[in-house]
Amino acid sequence: MAPIVSIRNLTKVYGNGFQALKGVDLEIEEGEILALLGPNGAGKTTLISIVCGLVNPSGGQVLVGGNDVVKDFRKTRAMIGLVPQELTTDQFETVWNTVTFSRGVHGKKADPARIEAVLKDLSLWEKRNNTLRELSGGMKRRVLIAKALAHDPRILFLDEPTAGVDVTLRREMWQVVEKLRQDGVTIILTTHYIEEAEEIADRVGVISGGELLLVEAKAALMKKLGRKELRLELTEPMTALPEALGAYNVSLAENGGALIYEYQGEGEQGRIAMLLGALTAQGIEFRDLSTRQSSLEDIFVELVEKKA
Ligand SMILES: Nc1ncnc2c1ncn2[C@@H]1O[C@H](COP(=O)(O)OP(=O)(O)O)[C@@H](O)[C@H]1O
Ligand SMILES: [Mg+2]
């Protein structure tokens, strides 16, 4: 199946000469949830803004549903919903009008039944006659999503949807996103919260300094780059590693109070048993043992640091 979004060698140099994107290639499949993960200033908003037709690219090409975002702006924009990073909606307008107006802006016929369905889906129906300024922060976020969905886009971009949002609201947002996915909407979200990408995305792209460093299925990424760590709390601290342990990838931590053994996830059981055997043979005792798997955060930090 052809990707719903195809980005080729995309570059962006802003008017002041700053290069925000340095040749990004990315294909997005219909129906997936892709998280673009990157620190502030990485180029996430720039990338999204180009796909949405709000910022002109300096080079390269973006196709949405096979249409060029510059040449066929109307077509591509109609397929896309955007929940922007900055909240710029008129605070004195009602929920109903805000969402209805947005549908019109995208050139779609008025459809009160559809607006009603969107508002109900987002639990905003009861608030339809309230003005935005009367709503809680969470409700305002929902209105922005409703607004982005008013014209039935096939693709939804969420630019840092949960920055500065509390945990409860974040959960709610993810339920909304999950429901949209079930309806077949393709979702691209940017975040600098790693847990977010870890929790919700099918694929994760890591972007830093205007470059897409990698994009991969979350599970494959964890498997490929994920490391495990076995930690043994020693009964008696050691000053140095016994030579007999030289064959293992172990190190001493916490002033000799713990032994750390690092290994790749798969097929290591045998070696762990040998290591434990070697410890027993040396008369080394431990009082506790734990394992830890490297998270997306570790992987992310490593990638971005390697780049820097
Ligand atoms: N209009 C602009 N003019 C000049 N530089 C810009 C403009 N917009 C963004 N930038 C710069 O481009 C870089 C990427 O910005 P942005 O895409 O907003 O990153 P992110 O969303 O990942 O935080 C930043 O260094 C930012 O300062
Ligand atoms: Mg941004």
Side-chain angles (χ1 to χ4, degrees):
M1 202 170 60
I4 192 155
V5 177
S6 166
I7 300 171
R8 280 183 227 134
N9 197 23
L10 188 66
T11 57
K12 176 63 188 176
V13 182
Y14 279 111
N16 62 359
F18 183 81
Q19 182 160 20
L21 294 178
K22 302 172 180 166
V24 171
D25 291 294
L26 175 63
E27 300 207 321
I28 300 166
E29 297 300 326
E30 181 140 34
E32 73 169 326
I33 299 185
L34 172 71
L36 289 173
L37 190 60
N40 279 327
K44 304 183 294 296
T45 299
T46 302
L47 180 62
I48 283 187
S49 302
I50 293 175
V51 179
C52 295
L54 305 174
V55 166
N56 277 323
S58 306
Q61 191 182 41
V62 180
L63 302 179
V64 174
N67 305 296
D68 187 289
V69 295
V70 178
K71 292 194 208 96
D72 305 313
F73 170 75
R74 278 175 186 284
K75 272 192 200 156
T76 59
R77 193 61 188 89
M79 292 175 66
I80 295 173
L82 169 65
V83 181
Q85 188 169 4
E86 308 290 339
L87 316 181
T88 51
T89 308
D90 182 353
Q91 296 296 306
F92 292 92
E93 198 51 89
T94 64
V95 170
W96 177 269
N97 286 347
T98 300
V99 177
T100 301
F101 181 66
S102 182
R103 184 175 172 93
V105 164
H106 289 93
K108 290 246 173 155
K109 278 209 314 282
D111 186 349
R114 178 63 196 146
I115 303 295
E116 179 175 339
V118 169
L119 293 182
K120 284 185 170 164
D121 267 358
L122 290 162
S123 312
L124 284 168
W125 184 240
E126 307 300 320
K127 303 282 182 192
R128 64 191 178 281
N129 294 319
N130 287 89
T131 62
L132 263 70
R133 67 192 194 114
E134 295 167 328
L135 303 182
S136 67
M139 285 289 176
K140 279 183 192 158
R141 296 262 171 182
R142 283 166 182 269
V143 175
L144 289 177
I145 298 179
K147 202 179 152 192
L149 292 174
H151 61 290
D152 304 313
R154 287 164 65 195
I155 311 165
L156 182 66
F157 285 90
L158 297 151
D159 197 1
E160 310 244 2
T162 58
V165 153
D166 68 33
V167 178
T168 319
L169 180 54
R170 215 193 275 190
R171 290 249 153 262
E172 269 180 36
M173 299 263 309
W174 297 147
Q175 281 164 11
V176 169
V177 167
E178 188 50 47
K179 180 160 189 316
L180 289 171
R181 184 236 291 269
Q182 283 165 20
D183 294 343
V185 178
T186 305
I187 294 159
I188 298 100
L189 62 104
T190 71
T191 179
H192 56 265
Y193 295 117
I194 288 125
E195 321 86 71
E196 203 151 282
E198 196 161 358
E199 200 168 325
I200 197 160
D202 301 310
R203 276 202 309 159
V204 176
V206 176
I207 179 166
S208 177
E211 288 178 73
L212 192 63
L213 301 181
L214 123 184
V215 51
E216 198 146 10
K218 183 178 63 188
L221 186 64
M222 304 289 293
K223 193 163 177 181
K224 188 158 118 191
L225 298 175
R227 251 180 270 118
K228 284 190 173 178
E229 192 182 279
L230 168 69
R231 199 185 155 84
L232 301 165
E233 309 290 341
L234 299 173
T235 313
E236 300 280 333
M238 288 194 285
T239 48
L241 269 184
E243 257 176 47
L245 299 183
Y248 301 90
N249 194 16
V250 289
S251 55
L252 271 179
E254 264 134 59
N255 297 322
L259 267 182
I260 311 278
Y261 173 54
E262 277 196 25
Y263 58 104
Q264 294 289 332
E266 310 273 294
E268 282 282 322
Q269 286 83 349
R271 281 196 62 80
I272 291 177
M274 281 163 67
L275 171 65
L276 295 180
L279 290 176
T280 310
Q282 294 287 309
I284 301 170
E285 291 179 354
F286 52 90
R287 55 185 169 78
D288 200 4
L289 154 165
S290 57
T291 61
R292 193 181 87 90
Q293 181 150 22
S294 63
S295 63
L296 198 54
E297 169 147 26
D298 303 325
I299 296 168
F300 175 62
V301 167
E302 198 162 300
L303 269 171
V304 173
E305 274 177 359
K306 208 185 283 169
K307 187 86 226 318

